[in-house]
Each structure stands twice: as C-alpha cells, then as structure tokens.
Amino acid sequence: MVDSLTAEFDSFVRHRSPSLLRAAYLLTGDQHLAEDLVQSALARTHRSWRQLHDSGNAEAYTRKVMYHLQVAWWRRRKVAEVLPGELPERRARGADHAGASALKLSLRAALLQLSDKQRAVLVLRFFEDRTEAEAAEVLGVTVGTVKSQTNKALARLRAIAPELSDLHAANGVAR
Amino acid sequence: MNAPMDNLRFGLAELAEDVKPVDLRDRTLKTSRRLGAQRAALTSALAVTLLAGGAGVALAVVDRGGSGPVVPGASASVTASPSHAPSPSAPPAAAFEPGTVYFVKGAQSPKVEVYRLDIGDCDLSLPLKCASTPTKLRTIGQMSDSCPGNSVVVSPDGRHVAWVNGDESGIAGDLIISDLAGGDPRQVEPNVICGGDHALVWSADSASIHIRKMDGTGSVGTVGAESGVYAVQQQKEWDKAVAAALGFRGTIGNGKLTVTEADGSDPRSISYTDPNGLDAVVVGVSADGRYAAAGRGSGDPSRQLGVAAVLDMTTGKKVRFAVGTVDWVAFQADGSMVVTVAGKPDRLYYLDAALKVTAEVTVPDTLGDAEPLRHVAG
C-alpha cells in the first residue's frame, strides 16, 4: 500500500510539475523561485498525500497551496529581493522574433511590478483561464477582490508598459 | 477578431514556456521530511513546556476529525481578575466602564502569546489615570506558516479563544477552541483557512465561529463553540452571518470607503484610498455609524489588526484625536471607544462619544510590543 502511494505520488509529481512550473514562473518571474515554489507546494501535498489521494483533489490542493504560498506573507518580499525591478529598454513593436522577445521581456518585467496578489489574479484569470469565482476560491478572497485586483493589475500594466497595449487592450470580461 | 484579452492570454502562455522543466521529486521529498521534522520538534518542545508546568499549551497530533480534549491535563494559567471597578471614590461624571483588553504578542514568532489586561486602581483625577495588570493566558507554538498568530481570536464575551494550528499545507489547519477560564483546548475541525483579515469570526453571542474550509470545494460554514460541530452554509448565508457578527458591512476600493448596516441597508460612502495604495479593509464602525476605521493596507493575506485612519462618515474627513494618531480602536456599544496611539505603546485610552478622554490606562512593558486583539466591556 505504501509503495503504491509512493509510486502514485511520484507519478503525480512527474506529470503535474511542468504545468505547475509554468504557472509558478509567471508568479515569480524566476526559474529558481518557481522551482522553490512548486517544490514547497508539492512537499505539503506529500504530507497530506494519503487523504488527497483518496479525495482525488490533489492537483487542486497543490495549486491552491502554491498560490497561497506565493501571495502569503512569508514569501512576499522574496521576488523583490531577487529580481530586477527595471523594465528592459522599450523597443518598437514588430512581428519579428526580436520584437516578440522584447515584448516577452517587457511582459515579464511588467508582471514583476505588480503586487503578488495582482499577479496571481492575472495568472489565474488569463493563464489558467479561471472564472472570477474560481480565482476567488483559489485565493480565498471575495469575487469583488478578484475584480478589483484584476482592474488594478491591468491599469498598472497599461501605465508601466504601454508597449504591451496590444496584449491587454480590451477590457476583461467577467465570466 | 480576437476575443477580449486573448493577446494577454497568448503573451502569458508564451512567457510561461520559458521555464525549464526539472525533476522535483527528490527535492520535494526532502522538503516534506524537513516539514515533518519541524512539526515533530514543535510538538516535543511544547510538550516540554507543558511538563515544566508553564503556561504553555501543548497540542498533540490527534486523528483528523477528532474532537475533544487534545492533551489531557493541559493547564492554562488563569489568575483571578483584579477588581474591574474603578476606585469607589472615582468621579461619577466620567463615563468610564473599565473592561478587559486581550492582546496577542509575537504573532509572527515561534511562540504566540495571548494576554489579558485587567484594568483597575484608578486615581481621582480627570481623566482617570489607571493601572493595569497583564496575565498571560496562552502560549501557542507555531511554525513558519504563522497560522496561529494570524488567526487567533477571543470571543466577544471573553470566555473563549480560538485559533488555527497550521497543517502541512501552511495555509490552513485544525481549528482549536479553548475556554479561557481553564480546561483543555479542543481540536474541533480540520482544514480551516488561517489567512486573511477575518480567518475566524466569532458570532456576536460567542456561540459559534464562522470559518472557511480548504477542502477542495471551498466550503464556508459555522462551527459551534460548545459542540464543535461544523455546519456548511451557502456563501450568501455565510456572508450575512459574518456581517451580523461584525455588526456592519464595509469595503474599501476604487477610491471609496463604503459602509452599510449588517443587513446591507443604509449605504454611506466617502472618498478614501489607503495611504500606501494597498488593499485595505474596514475594521470597525461605531455604534451610531458616524465613524469608520480603515485598516492598514496589505498586499498579502496577513491580518492587520491596527488602523490607518478613523474617518468621520458625515464629513469624509480623517478624525483628529487629541491623544495622537490612533492606531487601534475598539468601538463600544454606547458610542465610546477604546484606542491605542502610535508611539505610545504604554498607553490605552478610553474616549467618550464626543472623543473626550475619560481614562488613560498605563500598559505594562510586558505588552509593549503586543497588539490589542479585542476589548470586552466590563
């Protein structure tokens, strides 16, 4: 039974890590911090694996833990300590590869200018494609907070990185 | 034509692909073992405290869902309260009803301490000048999750204390309820979320606690203080119960602070933005609705007990107090209030409804770095 649980946890880590790392990278903006974040969330999942395995909620649990750990107080200053706060030099938009790379760098830097909560809301809403209600549930806040944080995050993106305007030109549509 | 925000979705997806896949299995298991060792060490340390006869309360690990005493024989050091009444010869004109103030100390430290401050021995001056006596009621061990420190709450009647002992998730854990007059702490409900400004909210009659669960379904509900039984509620029903417990509804956002009665009626708004541009909540409203206290802004789920400003809802202006900049306030049912002031950790002030000081209480050094949790009227 123990071997079976261990094997299933190993399989869970192997299959879900790539997806979790992608979201964690958007939340932290850094490969190593993303690994730390996912590792922390998975370790907590492991501590409760027997119950989670029975309930079938392991992935939802891991994601929720990951978002809370990132937004929560004991990690909140880590990104600011490690990552540069300056935006890369702005370049003219273009469809070429260099232009796309510059936009990506701009987006990464702009995300890091947001608060942890604002970044989490954007990732949940526009990367994980969660509804406002689902995002609120994951973060443990009200739908109103998700709406206000989304609006603030988009407004801040517009202010600090106007070159990204084509990435966030339209208003978000509540679902 | 793209759907709204599709470009942002695309940009995020592209950026996310920059992360390199890594095998996290070994690192995960190592971290898991470290978490387990920390938990074991914490339990051992608290058990030693208990055996030494201190005021600490050890919480042994019990089966999930179990209810009842956690550690047989755990004792709380509760001493007899000094007289709550002011001196018999105190001026009767002073509308001063001394109560009890509960403090939390070391909310982010490995040892969270809950204190009761009894007020008495007032002199004859106006305003009254009173001494006070602190009593340590509980020492709660906590790991780096800060769950107990962020969630600990004293019931409105001052009879119970409740907190969440963080579990492996680091963001939720077991709800513990304990009688402040003695008796064993009871572990009554698992998977209770400990983050946020109002992780645990006592009902006004101190009979139950409103909680949110970390159970994959995001359920909300109420736990009976005596029975320990959890009853799931619909979100709207729960919101209503929490508002009734707090005595108001309030929001801060989009440049406005809005408060209503607990049932949502009589909305009033004034212009307000957190001084640091962070998310803030309304932490209190006076009995007559004239004053509202805006909490300190926060960018994360940690609780902020203090206030950034007390606002006059009739003028929209920040209230200026003669005693200084108020950084914590407890509004009383008779319109009076109890406040602490920035830069004066050794003082507690009772103000009447006209904001006149009725009593100045000296707070012992022991509580110099503690935060007030609740005032219970005498």
Side-chain angles (χ1 to χ4, degrees):
Chain A
M1 176 64 178
V2 172
D3 285 348
S4 164
L5 282 173
T6 303
E8 285 177 9
F9 181 74
D10 287 352
S11 172
F12 175 78
V13 171
R14 200 162 46 250
H15 286 98
R16 302 318 307 157
S17 288
S19 166
L20 292 166
L21 274 170
R22 284 194 286 274
Y25 183 69
L26 294 178
L27 291 173
T28 64
D30 178 83
Q31 173 81 30
H32 298 296
L33 290 179
E35 290 173 17
D36 282 352
L37 182 59
V38 174
Q39 169 192 324
S40 296
L42 285 171
R44 285 161 171 79
T45 302
H46 180 251
R47 304 289 311 163
S48 304
W49 182 249
R50 189 181 295 271
Q51 297 148 271
L52 291 168
H53 169 265
D54 292 341
S55 70
N57 284 329
E59 179 159 3
Y61 179 90
T62 309
R63 283 188 185 277
K64 194 165 182 174
V65 169
M66 188 175 83
Y67 277 90
H68 275 254
L69 286 175
Q70 174 58 18
V71 178
W73 56 94
W74 59 93
R75 294 186 64 90
R76 61 178 160 156
R77 297 290 169 233
K78 202 164 182 182
V79 169
E81 287 166 6
V82 174
L83 295 168
E86 295 299 314
L87 287 169
E89 189 178 343
R90 289 173 185 171
R91 297 184 188 181
R93 278 173 289 175
D96 58 24
H97 181 71
S101 295
L103 277 179
K104 198 158 67 174
L105 279 173
S106 291
L107 177 58
R108 175 177 173 275
L111 285 173
L112 293 174
Q113 303 288 309
L114 306 179
S115 72
D116 288 340
K117 195 185 281 183
Q118 289 171 351
R119 198 161 49 245
V121 167
L122 284 192
V123 175
L124 278 166
R125 294 280 287 118
F126 303 115
F127 177 67
E128 297 212 7
D129 216 19
R130 304 293 189 97
T131 64
E132 288 172 340
E134 288 168 345
E137 202 278 315
V138 169
L139 293 173
V141 300
T142 64
V143 170
T145 298
V146 169
K147 285 180 180 173
S148 67
Q149 289 295 315
T150 304
N151 288 337
K152 282 181 187 173
L154 292 175
R156 187 145 168 75
L157 279 184
R158 287 186 196 104
I160 60 181
E163 72 274 25
L164 297 174
S165 58
D166 60 345
L167 288 181
H168 48 74
N171 290 323
V173 177
R175 289 186 295 134
Chain B
M1 181 180 163
N2 288 346
M5 310 311 288
D6 268 2
N7 285 331
L8 179 57
R9 288 188 171 91
F10 178 76
L12 290 170
E14 283 275 295
L15 181 58
E17 292 303 322
D18 281 0
V19 75
K20 298 177 186 65
V22 289
D23 185 352
L24 293 170
R25 186 225 179 234
D26 291 346
R27 290 166 56 177
T28 293
L29 295 181
K30 192 174 173 184
T31 305
S32 173
R33 281 194 293 274
R34 182 172 53 77
L35 289 172
Q38 282 178 349
R39 180 157 298 277
L42 177 67
T43 305
S44 300
L46 286 171
V48 169
T49 305
L50 176 68
L51 289 170
V57 177
L59 292 167
V61 176
V62 299
D63 289 341
R64 285 294 168 83
S67 180
V70 180
V71 176
S75 62
S77 78
V78 179
T79 60
S81 303
S83 167
H84 284 186
S87 159
S89 55
F96 174 53
E97 289 290 337
T100 307
V101 185
Y102 293 86
F103 286 76
V104 60
K105 185 175 178 179
Q108 303 271 341
S109 75
K111 283 199 304 183
V112 180
E113 297 172 334
V114 179
Y115 280 84
R116 186 185 69 223
L117 185 71
D118 296 302
I119 298 161
D121 298 331
C122 301
D123 67 14
L124 301 178
S125 61
L126 273 179
L128 298 170
K129 295 208 182 318
C130 308
S132 62
T133 308
T135 303
K136 191 194 290 183
L137 300 173
R138 286 281 184 275
T139 300
I140 307 166
Q142 74 177 351
M143 297 172 64
S144 57
D145 53 30
S146 297
C147 260
N150 195 71
S151 61
V152 63
V153 281
V154 172
S155 61
D157 62 5
R159 290 183 54 211
H160 304 288
V161 63
W163 68 91
V164 174
N165 257 359
D167 61 18
E168 288 80 2
S169 73
I171 59 173
D174 299 316
L175 173 64
I176 310 293
I177 300 177
S178 181
D179 189 340
L180 282 175
D184 298 326
R186 292 174 296 134
Q187 182 173 306
V188 296
E189 186 65 23
N191 301 326
V192 175
I193 288 178
C194 63
D197 284 292
H198 298 297
L200 306 177
V201 179
W202 281 97
S203 61
D205 61 3
S206 301
S208 56
I209 305 177
H210 308 299
I211 64 167
R212 291 177 291 136
K213 292 289 297 278
M214 167 91 180
D215 57 3
T217 60
S219 71
V220 293
T222 297
V223 174
E226 296 298 335
S227 67
V229 173
Y230 174 58
V232 179
Q233 290 176 301
Q234 294 297 313
Q235 185 71 47
K236 279 189 177 176
E237 184 190 358
W238 185 82
D239 289 343
K240 197 174 165 184
V242 169
L246 296 174
F248 66 92
R249 291 176 192 251
T251 58
I252 296 174
N254 299 322
K256 285 197 307 184
L257 180 152
T258 302
V259 295
T260 74
E261 299 294 324
D263 62 4
S265 64
D266 193 19
R268 287 146 286 147
S269 294
I270 59 172
S271 294
Y272 181 76
T273 305
D274 178 73
N276 298 311
L278 297 169
D279 289 340
V281 299
V282 179
V283 294
V285 176
S286 63
D288 61 2
R290 176 167 179 181
Y291 301 114
R296 294 189 198 118
S298 170
D300 59 55
S302 61
R303 176 169 65 174
Q304 300 291 324
L305 292 168
V307 305
V310 177
L311 300 143
D312 187 331
M313 297 301 293
T314 63
T315 64
K317 291 183 178 170
K318 189 174 171 180
V319 179
R320 300 202 179 280
F321 294 88
V323 289
T325 304
V326 165
D327 62 3
W328 177 80
V329 61
F331 293 111
Q332 305 301 297
D334 64 358
S336 65
M337 57 189 86
V338 187
V339 303
T340 60
V341 173
K344 296 182 186 173
D346 60 344
R347 289 289 184 274
L348 191 72
Y349 297 94
Y350 281 72
L351 312 180
D352 64 17
L355 308 185
K356 186 180 167 190
V357 179
T358 54
E360 178 180 329
V361 179
T362 301
V363 178
D365 290 346
T366 316
L367 298 179
D369 54 353
E371 294 183 278
L373 262 182
R374 176 183 285 281
H375 175 269
V376 175

